[in-house]
PDB file of all heavy atoms in Angstrom:
ATOM      1  N   ILE A   1     -10.269 -12.426   6.737  1.00 97.00           N
ATOM      2  CA  ILE A   1     -11.633 -11.901   6.764  1.00 97.00           C
ATOM      3  C   ILE A   1     -11.715 -10.538   6.085  1.00 97.00           C
ATOM      4  O   ILE A   1     -12.696 -10.229   5.407  1.00 97.00           O
ATOM      5  CB  ILE A   1     -12.146 -11.786   8.215  1.00 97.00           C
ATOM      6  CG1 ILE A   1     -12.022 -13.135   8.938  1.00 97.00           C
ATOM      7  CG2 ILE A   1     -13.591 -11.288   8.236  1.00 97.00           C
ATOM      8  CD1 ILE A   1     -12.849 -14.229   8.321  1.00 97.00           C
ATOM      9  N   PHE A   2     -10.672  -9.726   6.238  1.00 98.00           N
ATOM     10  CA  PHE A   2     -10.665  -8.363   5.711  1.00 98.00           C
ATOM     11  C   PHE A   2      -9.534  -8.210   4.694  1.00 98.00           C
ATOM     12  O   PHE A   2      -8.357  -8.301   5.046  1.00 98.00           O
ATOM     13  CB  PHE A   2     -10.478  -7.351   6.847  1.00 98.00           C
ATOM     14  CG  PHE A   2     -11.464  -7.494   7.970  1.00 98.00           C
ATOM     15  CD1 PHE A   2     -11.101  -8.143   9.144  1.00 98.00           C
ATOM     16  CD2 PHE A   2     -12.762  -7.018   7.847  1.00 98.00           C
ATOM     17  CE1 PHE A   2     -11.998  -8.286  10.187  1.00 98.00           C
ATOM     18  CE2 PHE A   2     -13.673  -7.162   8.884  1.00 98.00           C
ATOM     19  CZ  PHE A   2     -13.290  -7.800  10.050  1.00 98.00           C
ATOM     20  N   ASP A   3      -9.897  -7.983   3.457  1.00 98.00           N
ATOM     21  CA  ASP A   3      -8.924  -7.703   2.412  1.00 98.00           C
ATOM     22  C   ASP A   3      -8.769  -6.185   2.343  1.00 98.00           C
ATOM     23  O   ASP A   3      -9.596  -5.492   1.756  1.00 98.00           O
ATOM     24  CB  ASP A   3      -9.421  -8.269   1.081  1.00 98.00           C
ATOM     25  CG  ASP A   3      -8.457  -8.021  -0.063  1.00 98.00           C
ATOM     26  OD1 ASP A   3      -7.297  -7.663   0.203  1.00 98.00           O
ATOM     27  OD2 ASP A   3      -8.873  -8.170  -1.233  1.00 98.00           O
ATOM     28  N   VAL A   4      -7.711  -5.677   2.968  1.00 98.00           N
ATOM     29  CA  VAL A   4      -7.520  -4.234   3.104  1.00 98.00           C
ATOM     30  C   VAL A   4      -6.567  -3.748   2.017  1.00 98.00           C
ATOM     31  O   VAL A   4      -5.457  -4.261   1.876  1.00 98.00           O
ATOM     32  CB  VAL A   4      -6.958  -3.880   4.491  1.00 98.00           C
ATOM     33  CG1 VAL A   4      -6.840  -2.365   4.647  1.00 98.00           C
ATOM     34  CG2 VAL A   4      -7.827  -4.466   5.593  1.00 98.00           C
ATOM     35  N   LYS A   5      -7.008  -2.739   1.261  1.00 98.00           N
ATOM     36  CA  LYS A   5      -6.198  -2.204   0.172  1.00 98.00           C
ATOM     37  C   LYS A   5      -6.033  -0.694   0.342  1.00 98.00           C
ATOM     38  O   LYS A   5      -6.961  -0.001   0.784  1.00 98.00           O
ATOM     39  CB  LYS A   5      -6.850  -2.509  -1.183  1.00 98.00           C
ATOM     40  CG  LYS A   5      -6.764  -3.983  -1.578  1.00 98.00           C
ATOM     41  CD  LYS A   5      -7.502  -4.241  -2.879  1.00 98.00           C
ATOM     42  CE  LYS A   5      -7.110  -5.561  -3.523  1.00 98.00           C
ATOM     43  NZ  LYS A   5      -7.290  -6.716  -2.669  1.00 98.00           N
ATOM     44  N   ALA A   6      -4.865  -0.188  -0.032  1.00 98.00           N
ATOM     45  CA  ALA A   6      -4.592   1.243  -0.024  1.00 98.00           C
ATOM     46  C   ALA A   6      -4.657   1.773  -1.446  1.00 98.00           C
ATOM     47  O   ALA A   6      -4.104   1.162  -2.370  1.00 98.00           O
ATOM     48  CB  ALA A   6      -3.213   1.516   0.571  1.00 98.00           C
ATOM     49  N   ILE A   7      -5.336   2.895  -1.642  1.00 98.00           N
ATOM     50  CA  ILE A   7      -5.372   3.569  -2.943  1.00 98.00           C
ATOM     51  C   ILE A   7      -4.750   4.944  -2.758  1.00 98.00           C
ATOM     52  O   ILE A   7      -5.275   5.794  -2.023  1.00 98.00           O
ATOM     53  CB  ILE A   7      -6.802   3.678  -3.503  1.00 98.00           C
ATOM     54  CG1 ILE A   7      -7.421   2.292  -3.718  1.00 98.00           C
ATOM     55  CG2 ILE A   7      -6.786   4.414  -4.832  1.00 98.00           C
ATOM     56  CD1 ILE A   7      -8.227   1.792  -2.566  1.00 98.00           C
ATOM     57  N   MET A   8      -3.615   5.137  -3.415  1.00 98.00           N
ATOM     58  CA  MET A   8      -2.831   6.351  -3.234  1.00 98.00           C
ATOM     59  C   MET A   8      -3.210   7.395  -4.280  1.00 98.00           C
ATOM     60  O   MET A   8      -3.610   7.060  -5.404  1.00 98.00           O
ATOM     61  CB  MET A   8      -1.333   6.026  -3.329  1.00 98.00           C
ATOM     62  CG  MET A   8      -0.889   4.833  -2.486  1.00 98.00           C
ATOM     63  SD  MET A   8      -1.247   5.044  -0.724  1.00 98.00           S
ATOM     64  CE  MET A   8      -0.115   6.382  -0.332  1.00 98.00           C
ATOM     65  N   GLN A   9      -3.053   8.676  -3.920  1.00 97.00           N
ATOM     66  CA  GLN A   9      -3.368   9.752  -4.855  1.00 97.00           C
ATOM     67  C   GLN A   9      -2.271   9.956  -5.892  1.00 97.00           C
ATOM     68  O   GLN A   9      -2.535  10.412  -7.009  1.00 97.00           O
ATOM     69  CB  GLN A   9      -3.592  11.064  -4.091  1.00 97.00           C
ATOM     70  CG  GLN A   9      -4.775  11.038  -3.141  1.00 97.00           C
ATOM     71  CD  GLN A   9      -5.056  12.408  -2.538  1.00 97.00           C
ATOM     72  OE1 GLN A   9      -4.814  13.448  -3.160  1.00 97.00           O
ATOM     73  NE2 GLN A   9      -5.571  12.408  -1.308  1.00 97.00           N
ATOM     74  N   GLN A  10      -1.030   9.610  -5.553  1.00 96.00           N
ATOM     75  CA  GLN A  10       0.088   9.849  -6.449  1.00 96.00           C
ATOM     76  C   GLN A  10       0.093   8.863  -7.623  1.00 96.00           C
ATOM     77  O   GLN A  10      -0.481   7.782  -7.558  1.00 96.00           O
ATOM     78  CB  GLN A  10       1.425   9.703  -5.702  1.00 96.00           C
ATOM     79  CG  GLN A  10       1.574  10.618  -4.492  1.00 96.00           C
ATOM     80  CD  GLN A  10       1.180   9.922  -3.204  1.00 96.00           C
ATOM     81  OE1 GLN A  10       0.193   9.204  -3.166  1.00 96.00           O
ATOM     82  NE2 GLN A  10       1.957  10.156  -2.147  1.00 96.00           N
ATOM     83  N   GLU A  11       0.802   9.241  -8.671  1.00 96.00           N
ATOM     84  CA  GLU A  11       1.080   8.319  -9.761  1.00 96.00           C
ATOM     85  C   GLU A  11       1.980   7.202  -9.232  1.00 96.00           C
ATOM     86  O   GLU A  11       2.755   7.424  -8.299  1.00 96.00           O
ATOM     87  CB  GLU A  11       1.761   9.104 -10.905  1.00 96.00           C
ATOM     88  CG  GLU A  11       1.832   8.358 -12.216  1.00 96.00           C
ATOM     89  CD  GLU A  11       3.156   7.615 -12.381  1.00 96.00           C
ATOM     90  OE1 GLU A  11       4.119   7.947 -11.659  1.00 96.00           O
ATOM     91  OE2 GLU A  11       3.218   6.717 -13.245  1.00 96.00           O
ATOM     92  N   HIS A  12       1.883   6.001  -9.794  1.00 97.00           N
ATOM     93  CA  HIS A  12       2.477   4.822  -9.148  1.00 97.00           C
ATOM     94  C   HIS A  12       3.992   4.919  -8.969  1.00 97.00           C
ATOM     95  O   HIS A  12       4.544   4.349  -8.015  1.00 97.00           O
ATOM     96  CB  HIS A  12       2.109   3.543  -9.909  1.00 97.00           C
ATOM     97  CG  HIS A  12       2.786   3.365 -11.226  1.00 97.00           C
ATOM     98  ND1 HIS A  12       2.361   4.003 -12.371  1.00 97.00           N
ATOM     99  CD2 HIS A  12       3.851   2.608 -11.577  1.00 97.00           C
ATOM    100  CE1 HIS A  12       3.127   3.637 -13.377  1.00 97.00           C
ATOM    101  NE2 HIS A  12       4.043   2.806 -12.924  1.00 97.00           N
ATOM    102  N   HIS A  13       4.700   5.643  -9.856  1.00 97.00           N
ATOM    103  CA  HIS A  13       6.154   5.764  -9.693  1.00 97.00           C
ATOM    104  C   HIS A  13       6.531   6.563  -8.451  1.00 97.00           C
ATOM    105  O   HIS A  13       7.671   6.471  -7.963  1.00 97.00           O
ATOM    106  CB  HIS A  13       6.763   6.426 -10.937  1.00 97.00           C
ATOM    107  CG  HIS A  13       6.813   5.527 -12.125  1.00 97.00           C
ATOM    108  ND1 HIS A  13       6.475   5.918 -13.396  1.00 97.00           N
ATOM    109  CD2 HIS A  13       7.158   4.213 -12.234  1.00 97.00           C
ATOM    110  CE1 HIS A  13       6.614   4.911 -14.239  1.00 97.00           C
ATOM    111  NE2 HIS A  13       7.008   3.858 -13.553  1.00 97.00           N
ATOM    112  N   ASP A  14       5.595   7.347  -7.952  1.00 97.00           N
ATOM    113  CA  ASP A  14       5.874   8.189  -6.786  1.00 97.00           C
ATOM    114  C   ASP A  14       5.476   7.531  -5.466  1.00 97.00           C
ATOM    115  O   ASP A  14       5.521   8.183  -4.415  1.00 97.00           O
ATOM    116  CB  ASP A  14       5.130   9.521  -6.927  1.00 97.00           C
ATOM    117  CG  ASP A  14       5.612  10.327  -8.131  1.00 97.00           C
ATOM    118  OD1 ASP A  14       6.802  10.219  -8.462  1.00 97.00           O
ATOM    119  OD2 ASP A  14       4.770  11.027  -8.748  1.00 97.00           O
ATOM    120  N   VAL A  15       5.088   6.278  -5.509  1.00 97.00           N
ATOM    121  CA  VAL A  15       4.677   5.561  -4.294  1.00 97.00           C
ATOM    122  C   VAL A  15       5.778   4.581  -3.899  1.00 97.00           C
ATOM    123  O   VAL A  15       6.181   3.727  -4.703  1.00 97.00           O
ATOM    124  CB  VAL A  15       3.354   4.807  -4.507  1.00 97.00           C
ATOM    125  CG1 VAL A  15       2.978   4.027  -3.245  1.00 97.00           C
ATOM    126  CG2 VAL A  15       2.233   5.769  -4.885  1.00 97.00           C
ATOM    127  N   ASP A  16       6.255   4.684  -2.676  1.00 97.00           N
ATOM    128  CA  ASP A  16       7.243   3.762  -2.127  1.00 97.00           C
ATOM    129  C   ASP A  16       6.499   2.738  -1.268  1.00 97.00           C
ATOM    130  O   ASP A  16       6.086   3.033  -0.153  1.00 97.00           O
ATOM    131  CB  ASP A  16       8.271   4.524  -1.288  1.00 97.00           C
ATOM    132  CG  ASP A  16       9.339   3.614  -0.682  1.00 97.00           C
ATOM    133  OD1 ASP A  16       9.281   2.376  -0.921  1.00 97.00           O
ATOM    134  OD2 ASP A  16      10.205   4.130   0.040  1.00 97.00           O
ATOM    135  N   ILE A  17       6.335   1.530  -1.800  1.00 96.00           N
ATOM    136  CA  ILE A  17       5.543   0.541  -1.075  1.00 96.00           C
ATOM    137  C   ILE A  17       6.189   0.153   0.248  1.00 96.00           C
ATOM    138  O   ILE A  17       5.496  -0.224   1.199  1.00 96.00           O
ATOM    139  CB  ILE A  17       5.274  -0.715  -1.927  1.00 96.00           C
ATOM    140  CG1 ILE A  17       6.577  -1.434  -2.298  1.00 96.00           C
ATOM    141  CG2 ILE A  17       4.471  -0.373  -3.173  1.00 96.00           C
ATOM    142  CD1 ILE A  17       6.333  -2.767  -2.999  1.00 96.00           C
ATOM    143  N   MET A  18       7.502   0.257   0.341  1.00 96.00           N
ATOM    144  CA  MET A  18       8.170  -0.128   1.576  1.00 96.00           C
ATOM    145  C   MET A  18       8.006   0.923   2.664  1.00 96.00           C
ATOM    146  O   MET A  18       8.253   0.651   3.842  1.00 96.00           O
ATOM    147  CB  MET A  18       9.661  -0.369   1.316  1.00 96.00           C
ATOM    148  CG  MET A  18       9.934  -1.431   0.254  1.00 96.00           C
ATOM    149  SD  MET A  18       9.050  -2.991   0.531  1.00 96.00           S
ATOM    150  CE  MET A  18       9.858  -3.571   2.020  1.00 96.00           C
ATOM    151  N   ALA A  19       7.556   2.124   2.277  1.00 96.00           N
ATOM    152  CA  ALA A  19       7.336   3.173   3.272  1.00 96.00           C
ATOM    153  C   ALA A  19       5.946   3.101   3.879  1.00 96.00           C
ATOM    154  O   ALA A  19       5.688   3.740   4.903  1.00 96.00           O
ATOM    155  CB  ALA A  19       7.559   4.545   2.633  1.00 96.00           C
ATOM    156  N   LEU A  20       5.072   2.324   3.272  1.00 97.00           N
ATOM    157  CA  LEU A  20       3.711   2.198   3.793  1.00 97.00           C
ATOM    158  C   LEU A  20       3.672   1.174   4.916  1.00 97.00           C
ATOM    159  O   LEU A  20       4.551   0.297   5.034  1.00 97.00           O
ATOM    160  CB  LEU A  20       2.757   1.788   2.678  1.00 97.00           C
ATOM    161  CG  LEU A  20       2.561   2.810   1.548  1.00 97.00           C
ATOM    162  CD1 LEU A  20       1.514   2.304   0.569  1.00 97.00           C
ATOM    163  CD2 LEU A  20       2.163   4.171   2.095  1.00 97.00           C
ATOM    164  N   ASP A  21       2.648   1.252   5.728  1.00 97.00           N
ATOM    165  CA  ASP A  21       2.501   0.340   6.867  1.00 97.00           C
ATOM    166  C   ASP A  21       2.479  -1.109   6.382  1.00 97.00           C
ATOM    167  O   ASP A  21       1.954  -1.432   5.299  1.00 97.00           O
ATOM    168  CB  ASP A  21       1.203   0.649   7.610  1.00 97.00           C
ATOM    169  CG  ASP A  21       1.139  -0.049   8.958  1.00 97.00           C
ATOM    170  OD1 ASP A  21       0.732  -1.233   8.977  1.00 97.00           O
ATOM    171  OD2 ASP A  21       1.480   0.577   9.966  1.00 97.00           O
ATOM    172  N   GLU A  22       3.030  -1.989   7.189  1.00 96.00           N
ATOM    173  CA  GLU A  22       3.096  -3.406   6.795  1.00 96.00           C
ATOM    174  C   GLU A  22       1.728  -4.062   6.716  1.00 96.00           C
ATOM    175  O   GLU A  22       1.598  -5.179   6.208  1.00 96.00           O
ATOM    176  CB  GLU A  22       3.998  -4.190   7.750  1.00 96.00           C
ATOM    177  CG  GLU A  22       3.530  -4.179   9.190  1.00 96.00           C
ATOM    178  CD  GLU A  22       4.575  -4.783  10.124  1.00 96.00           C
ATOM    179  OE1 GLU A  22       5.537  -4.073  10.481  1.00 96.00           O
ATOM    180  OE2 GLU A  22       4.420  -5.981  10.474  1.00 96.00           O
ATOM    181  N   LEU A  23       0.671  -3.364   7.173  1.00 97.00           N
ATOM    182  CA  LEU A  23      -0.687  -3.854   6.949  1.00 97.00           C
ATOM    183  C   LEU A  23      -0.928  -4.088   5.466  1.00 97.00           C
ATOM    184  O   LEU A  23      -1.656  -5.016   5.096  1.00 97.00           O
ATOM    185  CB  LEU A  23      -1.698  -2.833   7.483  1.00 97.00           C
ATOM    186  CG  LEU A  23      -3.172  -3.118   7.198  1.00 97.00           C
ATOM    187  CD1 LEU A  23      -3.666  -4.297   8.054  1.00 97.00           C
ATOM    188  CD2 LEU A  23      -4.024  -1.886   7.461  1.00 97.00           C
ATOM    189  N   PHE A  24      -0.309  -3.246   4.627  1.00 98.00           N
ATOM    190  CA  PHE A  24      -0.505  -3.334   3.187  1.00 98.00           C
ATOM    191  C   PHE A  24       0.524  -4.241   2.508  1.00 98.00           C
ATOM    192  O   PHE A  24       0.551  -4.327   1.279  1.00 98.00           O
ATOM    193  CB  PHE A  24      -0.465  -1.933   2.574  1.00 98.00           C
ATOM    194  CG  PHE A  24      -1.457  -0.989   3.175  1.00 98.00           C
ATOM    195  CD1 PHE A  24      -1.036   0.146   3.852  1.00 98.00           C
ATOM    196  CD2 PHE A  24      -2.817  -1.240   3.104  1.00 98.00           C
ATOM    197  CE1 PHE A  24      -1.940   1.028   4.425  1.00 98.00           C
ATOM    198  CE2 PHE A  24      -3.742  -0.378   3.680  1.00 98.00           C
ATOM    199  CZ  PHE A  24      -3.302   0.760   4.345  1.00 98.00           C
ATOM    200  N   ARG A  25       1.346  -4.900   3.303  1.00 97.00           N
ATOM    201  CA  ARG A  25       2.266  -5.933   2.797  1.00 97.00           C
ATOM    202  C   ARG A  25       2.124  -7.167   3.693  1.00 97.00           C
ATOM    203  O   ARG A  25       3.094  -7.615   4.313  1.00 97.00           O
ATOM    204  CB  ARG A  25       3.705  -5.411   2.793  1.00 97.00           C
ATOM    205  CG  ARG A  25       3.991  -4.352   1.726  1.00 97.00           C
ATOM    206  CD  ARG A  25       5.388  -3.766   1.827  1.00 97.00           C
ATOM    207  NE  ARG A  25       5.508  -2.805   2.922  1.00 97.00           N
ATOM    208  CZ  ARG A  25       6.206  -2.994   4.019  1.00 97.00           C
ATOM    209  NH1 ARG A  25       6.855  -4.123   4.211  1.00 97.00           N
ATOM    210  NH2 ARG A  25       6.267  -2.060   4.958  1.00 97.00           N
ATOM    211  N   PRO A  26       0.911  -7.726   3.784  1.00 96.00           N
ATOM    212  CA  PRO A  26       0.675  -8.805   4.747  1.00 96.00           C
ATOM    213  C   PRO A  26       1.398 -10.089   4.352  1.00 96.00           C
ATOM    214  O   PRO A  26       1.698 -10.328   3.172  1.00 96.00           O
ATOM    215  CB  PRO A  26      -0.844  -8.982   4.690  1.00 96.00           C
ATOM    216  CG  PRO A  26      -1.201  -8.574   3.293  1.00 96.00           C
ATOM    217  CD  PRO A  26      -0.289  -7.425   2.977  1.00 96.00           C
ATOM    218  N   LEU A  27       1.645 -10.914   5.352  1.00 94.00           N
ATOM    219  CA  LEU A  27       2.266 -12.216   5.136  1.00 94.00           C
ATOM    220  C   LEU A  27       1.174 -13.274   5.070  1.00 94.00           C
ATOM    221  O   LEU A  27       0.208 -13.239   5.830  1.00 94.00           O
ATOM    222  CB  LEU A  27       3.240 -12.528   6.267  1.00 94.00           C
ATOM    223  CG  LEU A  27       4.318 -11.476   6.530  1.00 94.00           C
ATOM    224  CD1 LEU A  27       5.185 -11.889   7.714  1.00 94.00           C
ATOM    225  CD2 LEU A  27       5.163 -11.224   5.297  1.00 94.00           C
TER     226      LEU A  27
END
């Protein structure tokens, strides 16, 4: 029902996707 996306301020090389909440890596 809810497509939740995170938009980070950093440039993409500086973002560690595994450090973000698993809400943003849904199964």
Side-chain angles (χ1 to χ4, degrees):
I1 305 298
F2 306 101
D3 180 15
V4 183
K5 288 176 163 56
I7 299 93
M8 312 302 293
Q9 297 187 31
Q10 303 95 318
E11 193 266 342
H12 72 280
H13 286 137
D14 297 328
V15 178
D16 180 0
I17 62 173
M18 302 309 293
L20 295 184
D21 192 276
E22 61 189 80
L23 174 72
F24 304 117
R25 289 175 284 111
L27 306 178

